mmCIF file of all heavy atoms in Angstrom:
data_model
loop_
_atom_site.group_PDB
_atom_site.id
_atom_site.type_symbol
_atom_site.label_atom_id
_atom_site.label_comp_id
_atom_site.label_asym_id
_atom_site.label_seq_id
_atom_site.Cartn_x
_atom_site.Cartn_y
_atom_site.Cartn_z
ATOM 1 N N GLU A 324 14.927 5.357 -10.885
ATOM 2 C CA GLU A 324 14.018 6.126 -11.673
ATOM 3 C C GLU A 324 12.660 6.244 -11.018
ATOM 4 O O GLU A 324 11.635 6.330 -11.707
ATOM 5 C CB GLU A 324 13.886 5.478 -13.069
ATOM 6 C CG GLU A 324 15.184 5.386 -13.842
ATOM 7 C CD GLU A 324 15.042 4.697 -15.170
ATOM 8 O OE1 GLU A 324 13.896 4.617 -15.693
ATOM 9 O OE2 GLU A 324 16.049 4.211 -15.692
ATOM 10 N N ALA A 325 12.631 6.268 -9.680
ATOM 11 C CA ALA A 325 11.387 6.313 -8.931
ATOM 12 C C ALA A 325 10.525 7.497 -9.307
ATOM 13 O O ALA A 325 9.276 7.399 -9.452
ATOM 14 C CB ALA A 325 11.656 6.300 -7.434
ATOM 15 N N ALA A 326 11.146 8.659 -9.489
ATOM 16 C CA ALA A 326 10.377 9.848 -9.820
ATOM 17 C C ALA A 326 9.636 9.678 -11.132
ATOM 18 O O ALA A 326 8.475 10.150 -11.282
ATOM 19 C CB ALA A 326 11.301 11.083 -9.893
ATOM 20 N N GLY A 327 10.257 9.027 -12.116
ATOM 21 C CA GLY A 327 9.611 8.750 -13.379
ATOM 22 C C GLY A 327 8.405 7.829 -13.242
ATOM 23 O O GLY A 327 7.397 8.003 -13.902
ATOM 24 N N TYR A 328 8.544 6.838 -12.377
ATOM 25 C CA TYR A 328 7.415 5.914 -12.178
ATOM 26 C C TYR A 328 6.214 6.664 -11.628
ATOM 27 O O TYR A 328 5.071 6.508 -12.130
ATOM 28 C CB TYR A 328 7.808 4.795 -11.173
ATOM 29 C CG TYR A 328 9.029 3.995 -11.485
ATOM 30 C CD1 TYR A 328 9.722 3.347 -10.464
ATOM 31 C CD2 TYR A 328 9.531 3.914 -12.784
ATOM 32 C CE1 TYR A 328 10.845 2.572 -10.754
ATOM 33 C CE2 TYR A 328 10.672 3.159 -13.055
ATOM 34 C CZ TYR A 328 11.345 2.502 -12.014
ATOM 35 O OH TYR A 328 12.453 1.772 -12.303
ATOM 36 N N VAL A 329 6.451 7.448 -10.597
ATOM 37 C CA VAL A 329 5.336 8.161 -9.936
ATOM 38 C C VAL A 329 4.742 9.222 -10.890
ATOM 39 O O VAL A 329 3.516 9.403 -10.933
ATOM 40 C CB VAL A 329 5.825 8.803 -8.631
ATOM 41 C CG1 VAL A 329 4.733 9.644 -8.000
ATOM 42 C CG2 VAL A 329 6.281 7.723 -7.643
ATOM 43 N N ALA A 330 5.593 9.882 -11.636
ATOM 44 C CA ALA A 330 5.106 10.904 -12.592
ATOM 45 C C ALA A 330 4.198 10.278 -13.648
ATOM 46 O O ALA A 330 3.229 10.908 -14.105
ATOM 47 C CB ALA A 330 6.269 11.607 -13.229
ATOM 48 N N LYS A 331 4.515 9.027 -14.047
ATOM 49 C CA LYS A 331 3.729 8.366 -15.084
ATOM 50 C C LYS A 331 2.479 7.740 -14.563
ATOM 51 O O LYS A 331 1.405 7.857 -15.161
ATOM 52 C CB LYS A 331 4.640 7.263 -15.754
ATOM 53 C CG LYS A 331 3.940 6.565 -16.911
ATOM 54 C CD LYS A 331 3.763 7.485 -18.091
ATOM 55 C CE LYS A 331 3.223 6.758 -19.327
ATOM 56 N NZ LYS A 331 3.072 7.639 -20.467
ATOM 57 N N LYS A 332 2.555 7.050 -13.402
ATOM 58 C CA LYS A 332 1.437 6.280 -12.923
ATOM 59 C C LYS A 332 0.910 6.627 -11.544
ATOM 60 O O LYS A 332 0.019 5.992 -11.010
ATOM 61 C CB LYS A 332 1.780 4.798 -12.957
ATOM 62 C CG LYS A 332 1.878 4.217 -14.371
ATOM 63 C CD LYS A 332 0.545 4.242 -15.069
ATOM 64 C CE LYS A 332 0.598 3.569 -16.451
ATOM 65 N NZ LYS A 332 -0.708 3.567 -17.127
ATOM 66 N N GLY A 333 1.495 7.678 -10.910
ATOM 67 C CA GLY A 333 1.060 8.080 -9.614
ATOM 68 C C GLY A 333 1.667 7.214 -8.534
ATOM 69 O O GLY A 333 2.280 6.188 -8.822
ATOM 70 N N PRO A 334 1.493 7.545 -7.255
ATOM 71 C CA PRO A 334 2.102 6.777 -6.151
ATOM 72 C C PRO A 334 1.428 5.415 -6.052
ATOM 73 O O PRO A 334 0.273 5.202 -6.474
ATOM 74 C CB PRO A 334 1.804 7.643 -4.907
ATOM 75 C CG PRO A 334 0.600 8.503 -5.304
ATOM 76 C CD PRO A 334 0.726 8.751 -6.766
ATOM 77 N N THR A 335 2.128 4.483 -5.476
ATOM 78 C CA THR A 335 1.592 3.150 -5.251
ATOM 79 C C THR A 335 0.470 3.263 -4.192
ATOM 80 O O THR A 335 0.589 3.968 -3.222
ATOM 81 C CB THR A 335 2.687 2.186 -4.761
ATOM 82 O OG1 THR A 335 3.491 2.808 -3.764
ATOM 83 C CG2 THR A 335 3.561 1.784 -5.906
ATOM 84 N N PRO A 336 -0.619 2.506 -4.424
ATOM 85 C CA PRO A 336 -1.790 2.652 -3.515
ATOM 86 C C PRO A 336 -1.580 1.907 -2.214
ATOM 87 O O PRO A 336 -1.085 0.785 -2.166
ATOM 88 C CB PRO A 336 -2.908 2.019 -4.333
ATOM 89 C CG PRO A 336 -2.228 1.022 -5.233
ATOM 90 C CD PRO A 336 -0.869 1.598 -5.535
ATOM 91 N N ILE A 337 -1.989 2.559 -1.111
ATOM 92 C CA ILE A 337 -1.933 1.971 0.214
ATOM 93 C C ILE A 337 -3.036 0.884 0.327
ATOM 94 O O ILE A 337 -4.095 0.992 -0.289
ATOM 95 C CB ILE A 337 -2.047 3.018 1.331
ATOM 96 C CG1 ILE A 337 -1.455 2.546 2.648
ATOM 97 C CG2 ILE A 337 -3.504 3.454 1.471
ATOM 98 C CD1 ILE A 337 0.033 2.625 2.651
ATOM 99 N N HIS A 338 -2.772 -0.143 1.142
ATOM 100 C CA HIS A 338 -3.754 -1.188 1.320
ATOM 101 C C HIS A 338 -4.684 -0.969 2.518
ATOM 102 O O HIS A 338 -5.855 -1.275 2.503
ATOM 103 C CB HIS A 338 -3.073 -2.544 1.444
ATOM 104 C CG HIS A 338 -2.310 -2.930 0.236
ATOM 105 N ND1 HIS A 338 -0.926 -2.791 0.127
ATOM 106 C CD2 HIS A 338 -2.696 -3.439 -0.980
ATOM 107 C CE1 HIS A 338 -0.518 -3.193 -1.039
ATOM 108 N NE2 HIS A 338 -1.537 -3.576 -1.734
ATOM 109 N N GLN A 339 -4.083 -0.503 3.618
ATOM 110 C CA GLN A 339 -4.824 -0.275 4.857
ATOM 111 C C GLN A 339 -4.339 1.011 5.511
ATOM 112 O O GLN A 339 -3.237 1.474 5.206
ATOM 113 C CB GLN A 339 -4.608 -1.456 5.850
ATOM 114 C CG GLN A 339 -4.938 -2.827 5.317
ATOM 115 C CD GLN A 339 -6.384 -3.216 5.562
ATOM 116 O OE1 GLN A 339 -7.206 -2.383 5.985
ATOM 117 N NE2 GLN A 339 -6.723 -4.441 5.332
ATOM 118 N N SER A 340 -5.115 1.567 6.378
ATOM 119 C CA SER A 340 -4.725 2.799 7.036
ATOM 120 C C SER A 340 -5.239 2.864 8.453
ATOM 121 O O SER A 340 -6.443 2.553 8.723
ATOM 122 C CB SER A 340 -5.234 4.025 6.244
ATOM 123 O OG SER A 340 -4.800 5.242 6.826
ATOM 124 N N ILE A 341 -4.382 3.203 9.407
ATOM 125 C CA ILE A 341 -4.760 3.480 10.785
ATOM 126 C C ILE A 341 -4.489 4.934 11.032
ATOM 127 O O ILE A 341 -3.329 5.387 11.082
ATOM 128 C CB ILE A 341 -3.959 2.576 11.776
ATOM 129 C CG1 ILE A 341 -4.210 1.093 11.501
ATOM 130 C CG2 ILE A 341 -4.287 2.943 13.213
ATOM 131 C CD1 ILE A 341 -3.385 0.172 12.375
ATOM 132 N N ALA A 342 -5.536 5.708 11.188
ATOM 133 C CA ALA A 342 -5.420 7.170 11.244
ATOM 134 C C ALA A 342 -4.941 7.679 12.589
ATOM 135 O O ALA A 342 -4.212 8.662 12.656
ATOM 136 C CB ALA A 342 -6.754 7.799 10.872
ATOM 137 N N THR A 343 -5.382 7.021 13.652
ATOM 138 C CA THR A 343 -5.070 7.522 15.010
ATOM 139 C C THR A 343 -4.541 6.389 15.896
ATOM 140 O O THR A 343 -4.856 5.237 15.666
ATOM 141 C CB THR A 343 -6.293 8.141 15.679
ATOM 142 O OG1 THR A 343 -7.363 7.170 15.725
ATOM 143 C CG2 THR A 343 -6.791 9.353 14.891
ATOM 144 N N VAL A 344 -3.757 6.757 16.870
ATOM 145 C CA VAL A 344 -3.251 5.788 17.820
ATOM 146 C C VAL A 344 -4.408 5.100 18.528
ATOM 147 O O VAL A 344 -5.372 5.730 18.943
ATOM 148 C CB VAL A 344 -2.332 6.479 18.837
ATOM 149 C CG1 VAL A 344 -1.880 5.480 19.927
ATOM 150 C CG2 VAL A 344 -1.108 7.063 18.137
ATOM 151 N N GLY A 345 -4.286 3.773 18.658
ATOM 152 C CA GLY A 345 -5.350 2.988 19.264
ATOM 153 C C GLY A 345 -6.157 2.244 18.219
ATOM 154 O O GLY A 345 -6.924 1.340 18.567
ATOM 155 N N GLY A 346 -6.007 2.617 16.961
ATOM 156 C CA GLY A 346 -6.743 1.939 15.906
ATOM 157 C C GLY A 346 -6.119 0.599 15.500
ATOM 158 O O GLY A 346 -5.032 0.264 15.871
ATOM 159 N N SER A 347 -6.935 -0.145 14.738
ATOM 160 C CA SER A 347 -6.465 -1.452 14.274
ATOM 161 C C SER A 347 -7.106 -1.746 12.942
ATOM 162 O O SER A 347 -8.121 -1.154 12.545
ATOM 163 C CB SER A 347 -6.811 -2.555 15.269
ATOM 164 O OG SER A 347 -8.240 -2.649 15.433
ATOM 165 N N VAL A 348 -6.485 -2.665 12.178
ATOM 166 C CA VAL A 348 -7.032 -3.090 10.886
ATOM 167 C C VAL A 348 -6.819 -4.596 10.727
ATOM 168 O O VAL A 348 -5.965 -5.198 11.416
ATOM 169 C CB VAL A 348 -6.353 -2.375 9.682
ATOM 170 C CG1 VAL A 348 -6.674 -0.869 9.682
ATOM 171 C CG2 VAL A 348 -4.853 -2.610 9.701
ATOM 172 N N PHE A 349 -7.618 -5.178 9.860
ATOM 173 C CA PHE A 349 -7.506 -6.579 9.530
ATOM 174 C C PHE A 349 -7.253 -6.718 8.023
ATOM 175 O O PHE A 349 -7.725 -5.884 7.231
ATOM 176 C CB PHE A 349 -8.769 -7.359 9.895
ATOM 177 C CG PHE A 349 -9.086 -7.393 11.376
ATOM 178 C CD1 PHE A 349 -9.762 -6.355 11.985
ATOM 179 C CD2 PHE A 349 -8.682 -8.474 12.148
ATOM 180 C CE1 PHE A 349 -10.026 -6.373 13.354
ATOM 181 C CE2 PHE A 349 -8.916 -8.512 13.495
ATOM 182 C CZ PHE A 349 -9.623 -7.468 14.114
ATOM 183 N N GLY A 350 -6.526 -7.716 7.619
ATOM 184 C CA GLY A 350 -6.234 -7.932 6.235
ATOM 185 C C GLY A 350 -5.799 -9.378 6.032
ATOM 186 O O GLY A 350 -5.821 -10.206 6.918
ATOM 187 N N SER A 351 -5.486 -9.674 4.773
ATOM 188 C CA SER A 351 -4.995 -11.012 4.449
ATOM 189 C C SER A 351 -3.966 -10.941 3.353
ATOM 190 O O SER A 351 -4.020 -10.032 2.492
ATOM 191 C CB SER A 351 -6.141 -11.937 4.038
ATOM 192 O OG SER A 351 -6.740 -11.479 2.851
ATOM 193 N N LEU A 352 -3.049 -11.872 3.354
ATOM 194 C CA LEU A 352 -1.960 -11.961 2.345
ATOM 195 C C LEU A 352 -1.745 -13.393 1.966
ATOM 196 O O LEU A 352 -1.571 -14.248 2.837
ATOM 197 C CB LEU A 352 -0.670 -11.374 2.900
ATOM 198 C CG LEU A 352 -0.440 -9.880 2.832
ATOM 199 C CD1 LEU A 352 0.888 -9.535 3.448
ATOM 200 C CD2 LEU A 352 -0.470 -9.412 1.390
ATOM 201 N N PRO A 353 -1.694 -13.704 0.659
ATOM 202 C CA PRO A 353 -1.383 -15.070 0.245
ATOM 203 C C PRO A 353 0.099 -15.377 0.470
ATOM 204 O O PRO A 353 0.919 -14.471 0.489
ATOM 205 C CB PRO A 353 -1.719 -15.087 -1.250
ATOM 206 C CG PRO A 353 -1.649 -13.677 -1.679
ATOM 207 C CD PRO A 353 -2.036 -12.841 -0.499
ATOM 208 N N ASN A 354 0.400 -16.628 0.647
ATOM 209 C CA ASN A 354 1.822 -17.005 0.794
ATOM 210 C C ASN A 354 2.528 -16.976 -0.576
ATOM 211 O O ASN A 354 1.921 -16.535 -1.568
ATOM 212 C CB ASN A 354 1.959 -18.395 1.471
ATOM 213 C CG ASN A 354 1.147 -19.477 0.758
ATOM 214 O OD1 ASN A 354 0.550 -19.266 -0.291
ATOM 215 N ND2 ASN A 354 1.140 -20.643 1.349
ATOM 216 N N HIS A 355 3.767 -17.308 -0.583
ATOM 217 C CA HIS A 355 4.612 -17.270 -1.800
ATOM 218 C C HIS A 355 4.916 -15.832 -2.269
ATOM 219 O O HIS A 355 4.899 -15.563 -3.447
ATOM 220 C CB HIS A 355 3.959 -18.082 -2.917
ATOM 221 C CG HIS A 355 3.641 -19.490 -2.534
ATOM 222 N ND1 HIS A 355 2.405 -20.059 -2.668
ATOM 223 C CD2 HIS A 355 4.417 -20.475 -1.948
ATOM 224 C CE1 HIS A 355 2.403 -21.287 -2.188
ATOM 225 N NE2 HIS A 355 3.625 -21.558 -1.752
#
């Protein structure tokens, strides 16, 4: 039912983005 999810609440939000080759990003994630 993915289409219904997106229609109701929109696409899931991205956390980071690298727009062009050569770019980099930093982030963090908890364990578990």
Side-chain angles (χ1 to χ4, degrees):
E324 301 177 20
Y328 305 158
V329 175
K331 184 68 176 182
K332 289 295 183 178
T335 45
I337 203 77
H338 297 101
Q339 305 270 10
S340 182
I341 299 177
T343 57
V344 174
S347 62
V348 294
F349 295 85
S351 65
L352 275 178
N354 53 6
H355 305 126

